Amino acid sequence: MGGVIQKRTSEWTSRNTRSDGFITRDWFSFSNAKTTPVESNGFRRYSLLYGAFGSVQVGFKEWLYLELQGRNDWSSILPPANNSYFYPGASVSWIFSETLKMPAWVSFGKFRVSWADVGRPGPEYFSNNVYDIGNYGGVITYAPRGSRPPEDLKPERKREVELGLETKFFNSRLGLEVNYYNGNTYDQIMGLSVPPSSGFGDTKINAGQISHSGIEVFINATPLKTGSFNWNTVLNFHSDKPMVKKLAQGITTQGLWGMSGARVVAVEGQPWGQVVVRPYKVNENGERIVEGGYYSTDPTKEEVIGKVLPDIAGGFNNTISYKGLSLDFNIDYQFGSTLVSQTNMYMVGNGSAASTTAYRDEAHGGLPYYINNSSTLVLLPSHTSGVPADSKYPFIMHDGVILPGVQPDGKPNETIITAADKHSYYWQTFMDIQPDIVYKNDYIKLRNIVLTYELPKKLTNKIRFDRLAVSLFANNLWYIYKTMPNVDAEALNGTNVFYENNAFPTTRSYGASIRASF
């Protein structure tokens, strides 16, 4: 049994002058500010949580175990009527290799079942009347936040059942562990839009319900083992499939993140975290519509083109040792997710992406044309055509493009544009996210390598060390395979963000270490 007292305090204060800066250079004092008064900002956040917990375990003949757990929390974040919440848990383990007659090659076998219900209070001040304090013309002001305080907010809950099988074979040279889980997250705290006339933008309610099920597999093995040589390997993968079961009453779609032309959404009855974009305009036959020589997106439609969570992810870890020398290397992988890449959008727009070499000249598929005195691009029959009399310039061009598709009236597109204009179309800041720059984000990555040499005992004993090892290591070495061009597949723009925009790649590092024990 035990207890916990958790107090969280966060305070931030800033004082600054306006953009006209200081009177005297390099004298960093507010009394040196050109503009007065000095602006001051800040906030304070406090929360308090009390918890009491306990657990008990009962065993029977060292092959059957029952464990019961329980915890009750009291949180200042929730309204007084709901600020106390209890969440229990239970698990049963059966070591069947101790009770059943197993083949000689089965070394160990265990089956387990667990159930748990967990609660959490949500973010701070979701259920309180909170005011921002300001000053207007010497008068103190109190302004409410954008969210209307809920009247009966309850803690978020997660209930989950897990089944597990753990086995070892051939004198523990091979191991297999499989876990299946099925859970339900309910009473989720989410924002519901309210009329602006209320003075608020939304109100927080308990509404969301998401189910998730998945499987985790771990395979560990010792493929080779001799007197001096040893190879241990672990392969693991997991797959998680969250589904949106319910949102608020009357709401079937909830936005999770968005930018111009692209959104990540939760839709009732669909997988959580779908990526939707505005598709290119097409006619009833599915042919793209070309307007003024370019494709454009349809502002009246959205289509699902991927999801932010992978179908499968895992790793492959190895340790190979010979006498005092060992080599460790780890490989990670994931498949099935998508990512909005604004870096690639800008690279296509400014012509620095390799894909933009298409149509730049005759060798790369460009079409011949000239520009007449009215500044209109006119297609020519051949790259060897002469310069027409009405040409604005004394030469012809070889970087023309006619995008496949039809005009709004159904006629085939015959408007020629330059390769530069085709690609720079993505660069225009007012453009929506194009479907072309949402990429599959699959990869296999060599995460790290460590080479270690442990000095022999005879030598370490002489210098009064129990153990002495020297290591060389390298991290984030190489993408063996990846579908995301030009950028790091893991270079997201922060937590709970589903895009990348000029994000720094992960750092590749090299180093050495010495570990000693006495």
Side-chain angles (χ1 to χ4, degrees), residues 201-330:
D202 61 28
T203 185
K204 299 299 186 290
I205 61 172
N206 294 104
Q209 182 175 334
I210 296 177
S211 69
H212 63 100
S213 61
I215 187 170
E216 300 171 331
V217 178
F218 301 86
I219 301 173
N220 58 80
T222 305
L224 292 175
K225 186 175 184 180
T226 66
S228 301
F229 186 86
N230 195 45
W231 174 23
N232 294 320
T233 183
V234 177
L235 174 66
N236 68 82
F237 70 89
H238 69 268
S239 176
D240 184 73
K241 299 185 181 300
M243 294 288 294
V244 181
K245 291 296 185 181
K246 184 181 179 182
L247 296 173
Q249 183 176 358
I251 296 177
T252 58
T253 301
Q254 175 73 22
L256 305 174
W257 167 88
M259 62 193 312
S260 181
R263 294 195 300 154
V264 176
V265 297
V267 181
E268 279 192 1
Q270 298 293 325
W272 181 92
Q274 291 181 320
V275 180
V276 298
V277 300
R278 296 189 181 113
Y280 288 115
K281 291 181 181 178
V282 296
N283 62 13
E284 61 275 7
N285 299 320
E287 299 171 303
R288 286 191 183 180
I289 295 175
V290 183
E291 298 173 291
Y294 303 93
Y295 299 134
S296 58
T297 53
D298 190 338
T300 66
K301 298 179 181 178
E302 285 186 329
E303 68 177 14
V304 178
I305 61 171
K307 53 189 179 63
V308 298
L309 297 179
D311 294 322
I312 185 172
F316 181 47
N317 307 323
N318 294 267
T319 299
I320 302 172
S321 60
Y322 177 71
K323 294 185 177 179
L325 188 66
S326 65
L327 175 68
D328 296 82
F329 63 92
N330 302 315

